[in-house]
């Protein structure tokens, strides 16, 4: 009997050892796969940056904290946010209770926060407005990423109401981000028109507080709001009367150029529109692929309306081939001057053009197609009858000869073709092509290129930054190492930044 109990005890001890061995083997895998501690540590570093920036009144630290947050947004979980709210805000306060209500409740079986760490989060001694606004921003980003748009609308509205009572320069950077996500949450639910009046009031407050970054952000949001509902006249009135100053954010400046290009296109100011759209596409970050695609779509249409044919390399840019395919076929139809092919392409991709908002502009291109075909005819024939011109242009009107004559007369008057019209005989007589280098066109082209290069050089010089008092104070080796480390981290985060604003 004692031998049997010995076997049982031996088997039980062996089983407990096996269980302990399995737990010990599973522990390293959990420590490797769990991203909670690292995420919490990064949030603590961000909180430290915000606190230092708030007390020292250094806006650049707040900017760096936002960049770190954008890089961290994919790792955000509800449990992590609950822990951070307990850490940054006073538990039981109004802001803490409101923000906690927007988050889903923690799942005890799927906790990503170490219980030893989350049980006693040491809250900050003095609750700063920067911490509260940053918590609003963090929760709002999480709700939008989780597609909880109704909660995001409520959270963004509460954050805007809180922002109206805070006037601190270190909050301006956080406020600009909140304005963007406030508009985005309403746009995702199709209620963008509801906040137009509130955006105008916020722009007025930002102007009175001399918050230039907030003015820049809110102006772009208002322009986007107007253009979303095709209110181009109101957008132009607002843009022309709003104060302009040196751009504080490259992203906001790119957006402003894009909206300005769209307004100029609708107002038939194609030259200014082309310049704005191309500049926006060049200045946009490489990560903002969708924004650059939209800029190139509108730029292609504007160049076609100007009578230019975009280069093939425009449509072969990396990551844009599929999105720009309809516009490539449209450009080919305009280049050939084939009216039937143009109609076929317009019908084939009508859904794409409507979603891009370029359908009305493509209707304007019909005249350009006819003019291009007429230019090809004038180059190929020294003399051709108007009947043949109507056939080659494939005019399907009731009186194609009369229409061809009016088209030819208008093209000659506008300088599109160098020819004469013999009304009595019904002929179009082309003049001999002269040497373009005997005209001023090469000089004009070179002047425009030189002006562009000089403008780019001047902007690069203005964008240079120098360390303060570099000629008066010699920094120590420790400070130099710290500065170089911060610059390397900043460059790394900028390179890895997933710029979702675009």
């Amino acid at each position: 009997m004692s031998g049997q109990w010995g076997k049982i005890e031996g088997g039980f001890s062996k089983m407990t050892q096996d269980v302990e061995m399995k737990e010990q083997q599973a522990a390293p895998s959990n420590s490797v796969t769990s991203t909670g501690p690292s995420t919490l540590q990064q949030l603590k570093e961000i909180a430290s940056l915000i606190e230092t920036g708030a007390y020292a009144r250094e806006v650049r630290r707040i900017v760096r904290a936002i960049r770190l947050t954008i890089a961290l947004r994919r790792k955000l979980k509800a449990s992590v946010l609950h822990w951070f709210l307990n850490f940054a805000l006073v538990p039981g306060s109004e802001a803490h209770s409101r923000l906690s209500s927007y988050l889903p409740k923690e799942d005890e079986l799927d906790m990503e926060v170490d219980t030893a760490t989350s049980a006693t989060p040491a809250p900050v001694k003095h609750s700063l407005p920067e911490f509260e606004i940053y918590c609003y921003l963090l929760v709002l980003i999480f709700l939008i990423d989780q597609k909880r748009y109704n909660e995001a609308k409520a959270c963004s509205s509460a954050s805007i109401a809180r922002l109206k009572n805070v006037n601190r320069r270190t909050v301006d950077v956080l406020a600009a981000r909140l304005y963007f996500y406030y508009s985005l949450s309403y746009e995702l639910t199709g209620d963008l028109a509801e906040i137009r009046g509130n955006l105008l009031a916020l722009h007025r407050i930002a102007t009175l507080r001399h918050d230039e970054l907030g003015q820049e952000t809110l102006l772009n949001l208002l322009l986007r709001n107007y253009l979303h509902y095709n209110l181009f006249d109101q957008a132009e009135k607002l843009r022309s009367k709003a104060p302009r100053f040196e751009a504080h954010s490259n992203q906001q400046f790119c957006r402003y150029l894009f909206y300005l290009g769209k307004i100029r296109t609708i107002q038939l100011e194609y030259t200014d529109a082309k310049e704005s759209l191309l500049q926006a596409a060049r200045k946009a970050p490489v990560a903002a692929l969708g924004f650059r695609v939209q800029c190139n779509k509108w730029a292609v249409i504007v160049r076609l309306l100007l009578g230019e044919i975009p280069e093939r390399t425009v449509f072969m840019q990396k990551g844009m081939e599929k999105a720009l395919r309809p516009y490539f076929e449209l450009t080919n139809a305009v280049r050939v001057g084939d009216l039937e092919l143009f109609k076929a392409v317009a019908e084939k991709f009508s859904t794409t053009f409507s979603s891009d908002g370029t359908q009305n502009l493509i209707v304007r291109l019909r005249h350009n197609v006819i003019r291009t075909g007429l230019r090809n005819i004038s180059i190929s024939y020294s003399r051709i009858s108007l009947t043949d011109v109507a056939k080659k242009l494939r005019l399907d009107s009731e009186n194609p000869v009369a229409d061809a004559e009016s088209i030819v007369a208008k093209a000659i008057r506008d300088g599109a073709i160098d020819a004469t019209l013999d009304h009595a005989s019904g002929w179009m007589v082309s003049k001999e092509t002269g040497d373009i280098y005997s005209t001023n066109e090469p000089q004009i082209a070179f002047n425009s290129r030189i002006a562009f290069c000089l403008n780019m050089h001047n902007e690069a010089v203005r964008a240079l930054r120098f360390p303060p008092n570099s000629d008066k104070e010699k920094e120590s080796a420790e400070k130099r190492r710290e500065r170089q480390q911060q610059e390397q981290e900043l460059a790394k985060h900028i390179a890895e930044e997933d710029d979702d604003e675009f």
Side-chain angles (χ1 to χ4, degrees), residues 307-318:
E308 303 176 6
I309 302 297
E311 300 81 5
R312 183 179 289 267
T313 55
V314 173
F315 306 97
M316 300 303 166
Q317 299 180 60
K318 185 178 179 180

Side-chain angles (χ1 to χ4, degrees), residues 200-251:
L200 288 169
L202 290 171
H203 187 271
R204 183 168 58 252
I205 293 173
T207 304
L208 294 174
R209 292 176 177 177
H210 302 284
D211 177 11
E212 294 185 352
L213 180 58
Q215 295 178 56
E216 199 174 11
T217 304
L218 289 166
L219 176 61
N220 286 332
L221 293 176
L222 284 166
L223 292 178
R224 182 180 182 86
N225 198 309
Y226 284 123
L227 297 181
H228 183 77
Y229 295 99
N230 296 325
L231 302 175
F232 292 95
D233 291 338
Q234 290 89 328
E236 173 58 21
K237 289 178 181 178
L238 173 67
R239 188 208 64 80
S240 61
K241 294 181 180 180
R244 292 299 303 163
F245 35 78
E246 186 178 354
H248 290 262
S249 170
N250 181 59
Q251 290 87 348

Side-chain angles (χ1 to χ4, degrees), residues 396-416:
D396 53 357
S397 58
E398 296 180 358
N399 193 353
V401 177
D403 290 344
E405 184 176 3
S406 63
I407 290 171
V408 170
K410 189 175 186 302
I412 293 173
R413 186 192 65 183
D414 296 341

